[in-house]
Amino acid sequence: MELRARVLLWKLVLLQSSSVLLSSGPAGPATPGSSVVSESAVSWAAGARAVLRCQSPRMVWTQDRLHDRQRVVHWDLSGGPAGGSARRLVDMYSAGEQRVYEPRDSGRLLLTPTAFQDGNFSLLIRAVEDTDEGLYTCNLHHHYCHLYESLAVRLEVTDDPRAAGAHWDGEKEVLAVERGAPALLTCVNRAHVWTDRHLEEAQQVVHWDRQPPGVPHDRADRLLDLYASGERRAYGPPFLRERVAVGADAFARGDFSLRIDPLEPADEGTYSCHLHHHYCGLHERRVFHLKVTEPAARPPPRDSPGNGSSHSGAPGPGAGDPTLTRGRSVINVIVPEGRAHFFQQLGYVLATLLLFILLLITVILATRQRRRGGYEYSDKKSKSKGKDVNMVEFAVAAGDQPLYRREDIRLGYKNNLLKEKVGLSHSPLPAKSIDLDKEFRKEYCK
């Protein structure tokens, strides 16, 4: 009875103690600081679509449909009296299902059903036998977080009650148990990753930061915040938010790559992708040094009809002559005409038509003015001739008149009148003065 009481007391002490933890497991919440896992320099041309790759399978929200079975604990035994390789004794999933591999161990090896709620994965052997002696290993696997932890306990079977007890050999716990007595192999890990399954979605976050050239990391600008719950937050000016995006299925694929489309020279700088999985204790940072270059000029196509090349591939007439210099290729670019171009051409046509009409009116007016000036000139000329020429000055000379009567007419004069007439006929006619101006005025007045 004294030995059994000592064993029960030892069991209670082990169950109540929380200081015995897995040597490789996390003892508390993960530190908020993130470690740089990669740093690379990338270069993209301005106007192109830049993609900064940030991927991690550990951030995938759902890998399969097992959900609770993503966590499992199993006990293995090696180095027993019979020797041989390690064999699986019992395992249990987070859903509470236990499986014992050896029929003789059924009902003799037990795990508490609430192991994944209270973090106690200790193995209870009801009655220790000689074949139970060996090295026991407690293995914890978290398939979702990719965590693998283990704890070793050595069990020794003795017939001396005074030799029963537990001690630490520097690497593992050594437990000595009397044959036929119960043995409790302790494996306790109360880290939240093994107990709080429903906090996964609330503790996943990804964010992108940008550092302009010359700005330190602690003063970086936040671009995006992504949560596994589906919430998204964008920061920065609107013209930048419209060009920056991350895939909608980022947490389903583990791909949080940042796309910048189109890329501008002002986007140059340092970009950081922060992955925080507080549930799994994942804190990673990937750094990208983005450099924006000038867009490369697109070469003209070889067989285009505008660059002087033929489609047949045959060399031109001067292809074999090295002395001939090759001219530059000419590319015909046809720009579609818009409404502004149409109105511009219409304005040119109307302006030309208006100029022609003005020229025609000017010619007509000049012609009419010239005709009117001709009439006035002829009238003035005729008046000036009438005033300047004095027809009185022109006298008809007597010498100009022909002499009709040269022969002597010998007639007998009966009276003085006849004699006078004959005298007048033989004498030269007097000069007659004619006033042409007076005659012209008479005609003009009629």
Side-chain angles (χ1 to χ4, degrees), residues 92 98 110-116 118 120-123:
M92 184 177 67
Q98 295 188 27
L110 297 175
L111 292 173
T112 174
T114 60
F116 287 97
D118 53 24
N120 185 7
F121 305 97
S122 302
L123 177 65

Side-chain angles (χ1 to χ4, degrees), residues 7-8 11 15 75 90 105 107-112 121-128 181-186:
V7 172
L8 292 178
K11 180 175 69 173
L15 288 175
W75 281 87
V90 61
D105 295 333
R108 197 171 68 92
L109 304 179
L110 297 175
L111 292 173
T112 174
F121 305 97
S122 302
L123 177 65
L124 176 63
I125 304 176
R126 287 186 173 181
V128 175
L184 182 64
L185 307 180
T186 307

Side-chain angles (χ1 to χ4, degrees), residues 133-186:
E133 190 174 83
L135 181 64
Y136 288 79
T137 306
C138 174
N139 301 282
L140 292 174
H141 295 274
H142 200 305
H143 299 291
Y144 173 70
C145 294
H146 303 275
L147 299 178
Y148 305 94
E149 301 176 359
S150 63
L151 176 67
V153 179
R154 185 167 187 81
L155 177 62
E156 296 178 354
V157 180
T158 180
D159 294 330
D160 186 1
R162 294 174 299 181
H167 65 276
W168 184 264
D169 65 353
E171 294 182 356
K172 57 186 176 298
E173 179 187 5
V174 178
L175 179 63
V177 181
E178 184 182 2
R179 183 183 294 107
L184 182 64
L185 307 180
T186 307

Side-chain angles (χ1 to χ4, degrees), residues 321-335:
D321 191 353
T323 60
L324 296 178
T325 58
R326 181 176 298 178
R328 295 185 178 181
S329 300
V330 179
I331 302 176
N332 296 327
V333 179
I334 301 176
V335 180

Side-chain angles (χ1 to χ4, degrees), residues 66-136:
L66 298 178
H67 299 290
D68 289 339
R69 294 200 174 194
Q70 291 183 352
R71 294 176 296 168
V72 60
V73 57
H74 60 83
W75 281 87
D76 298 337
L77 173 61
S78 62
S85 59
R87 60 187 181 90
R88 180 70 52 86
L89 297 177
V90 61
D91 60 22
M92 184 177 67
Y93 294 94
S94 55
E97 302 175 5
Q98 295 188 27
R99 179 171 57 179
V100 179
Y101 287 83
E102 295 292 338
R104 72 181 187 87
D105 295 333
S106 180
R108 197 171 68 92
L109 304 179
L110 297 175
L111 292 173
T112 174
T114 60
F116 287 97
Q117 281 75 38
D118 53 24
N120 185 7
F121 305 97
S122 302
L123 177 65
L124 176 63
I125 304 176
R126 287 186 173 181
V128 175
E129 301 176 356
D130 293 337
T131 56
D132 294 333
E133 190 174 83
L135 181 64
Y136 288 79

Side-chain angles (χ1 to χ4, degrees), residues 341-359:
H341 182 75
F342 170 75
F343 287 114
Q344 184 179 7
Q345 298 297 329
L346 181 61
Y348 291 156
V349 174
L350 294 178
T352 305
L353 183 60
L354 181 60
L355 183 61
F356 176 75
I357 293 175
L358 292 177
L359 182 62

Side-chain angles (χ1 to χ4, degrees), residues 243-412:
R243 296 185 293 109
V244 175
V246 176
D249 56 348
F251 284 97
R253 300 170 52 199
D255 187 358
F256 307 94
S257 301
L258 181 70
R259 298 189 298 273
I260 307 175
D261 186 21
L263 187 64
E264 297 181 358
D267 299 330
E268 190 170 286
T270 301
Y271 293 77
S272 301
C273 174
H274 299 259
L275 304 179
H276 296 285
H277 199 318
H278 301 283
Y279 174 81
C280 296
L282 173 67
H283 301 277
E284 297 179 353
R285 181 161 60 99
R286 292 166 173 80
V287 181
F288 303 89
H289 300 282
L290 177 62
K291 182 179 180 182
V292 182
T293 60
E294 293 294 333
R298 299 179 61 182
R302 295 182 178 180
D303 296 336
S304 63
N307 61 0
S309 60
S310 61
H311 294 272
S312 60
D321 191 353
T323 60
L324 296 178
T325 58
R326 181 176 298 178
R328 295 185 178 181
S329 300
V330 179
I331 302 176
N332 296 327
V333 179
I334 301 176
V335 180
E337 297 183 358
R339 300 182 62 183
H341 182 75
F342 170 75
F343 287 114
Q344 184 179 7
Q345 298 297 329
L346 181 61
Y348 291 156
V349 174
L350 294 178
T352 305
L353 183 60
L354 181 60
L355 183 61
F356 176 75
I357 293 175
L358 292 177
L359 182 62
L360 183 61
I361 293 174
T362 304
V363 172
I364 294 175
L365 292 177
T367 304
R368 294 185 62 182
Q369 187 68 21
R370 186 176 183 84
R371 289 182 178 178
R372 183 178 300 173
Y375 293 150
E376 294 179 355
Y377 176 77
S378 61
D379 191 8
K380 290 181 181 179
K381 187 176 180 181
S382 61
K383 290 183 179 180
S384 62
K385 287 183 179 180
K387 290 181 181 180
D388 296 339
V389 180
N390 190 0
M391 302 303 293
V392 179
E393 299 177 356
F394 294 93
V396 179
D400 295 337
Q401 298 294 326
L403 299 179
Y404 296 101
R405 296 182 179 183
R406 291 290 183 181
E407 64 278 5
D408 294 334
I409 303 175
R410 297 183 182 274
L411 296 176

